[in-house]
């Protein structure tokens, strides 16, 4: 069973920065898909940024240029560097891993979530 443990959330003023970390139990494989999602009260969970085990990244348009996702394979940790934070970035942020050990099977794992609050 894969476990994801997030850390790094908190309260920050608008314009500030935070770095979220997600430690994955065991190794990260090249074909894994990892991502950071967020969910604000009353809203659906949305993808913020994604990265493959091979390092290919993608971002939501709302965070492009402000957030950076990165991967440390040696530490099995995914980071989300968030700069120029805005009040609308306030949400619970979740780490996600999708792994397909075979063509027929895909497993999805979630972390417990970490609160990010941006004050105006």
């Amino acid at each position: 069973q894969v476990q994801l443990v997030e850390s790094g959330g908190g309260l920050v003023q608008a314009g500030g920065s935070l770095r979220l970390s997600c430690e994955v139990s065991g190794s990260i494989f090249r074909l894994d898909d990892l991502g950071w999602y967020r969910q604000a009260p009353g809203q659906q969970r949305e993808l913020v940024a994604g990265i493959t085990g091979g390092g290919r990244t993608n971002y939501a348009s709302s965070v492009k240029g402000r957030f950076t996702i990165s991967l440390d394979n040696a530490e099995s940790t995914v980071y989300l560097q968030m700069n120029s934070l805005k009040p609308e970035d306030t949400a619970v942020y979740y780490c996600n891993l999708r792994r397909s050990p075979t063509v027929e099977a895909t497993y999805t794992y979630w972390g417990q979530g970490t609160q990010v609050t941006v004050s105006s």
Side-chain angles (χ1 to χ4, degrees):
Q1 180 73 10
V2 176
Q3 292 185 324
L4 310 178
V5 179
E6 299 126 336
S7 61
L11 173 64
V12 64
Q13 288 188 331
S17 298
L18 282 174
R19 189 177 80 155
L20 305 183
S21 300
C22 172
E23 186 174 352
V24 180
S25 63
S27 300
I28 294 174
F29 302 108
R30 186 171 183 82
L31 296 182
D32 286 344
D33 285 314
L34 299 114
W36 286 97
Y37 288 72
R38 67 186 179 188
Q39 187 167 21
Q43 297 188 21
Q44 290 189 331
R45 193 172 295 189
E46 62 174 357
L47 176 66
V48 174
I51 188 167
T52 67
R56 189 175 69 248
T57 61
N58 63 284
Y59 296 92
S61 57
S62 60
V63 307
K64 198 170 292 185
R66 299 189 297 123
F67 291 10
T68 302
I69 190 170
S70 61
L71 174 62
D72 185 332
N73 277 296
E75 298 294 329
S76 293
T77 300
V78 183
Y79 300 98
L80 184 68
Q81 178 66 44
M82 304 186 294
N83 298 329
S84 302
L85 282 161
K86 304 175 181 180
E88 51 263 45
D89 294 318
T90 295
V92 178
Y93 284 69
Y94 296 91
C95 184
N96 170 272
L97 166 66
R98 286 189 297 125
R99 175 172 291 167
S100 299
T102 68
V103 173
E104 295 85 10
T106 296
Y107 299 96
T108 300
Y109 305 94
W110 292 95
Q112 80 283 1
T114 185
Q115 177 70 46
V116 171
T117 303
V118 184
S119 63
S120 56

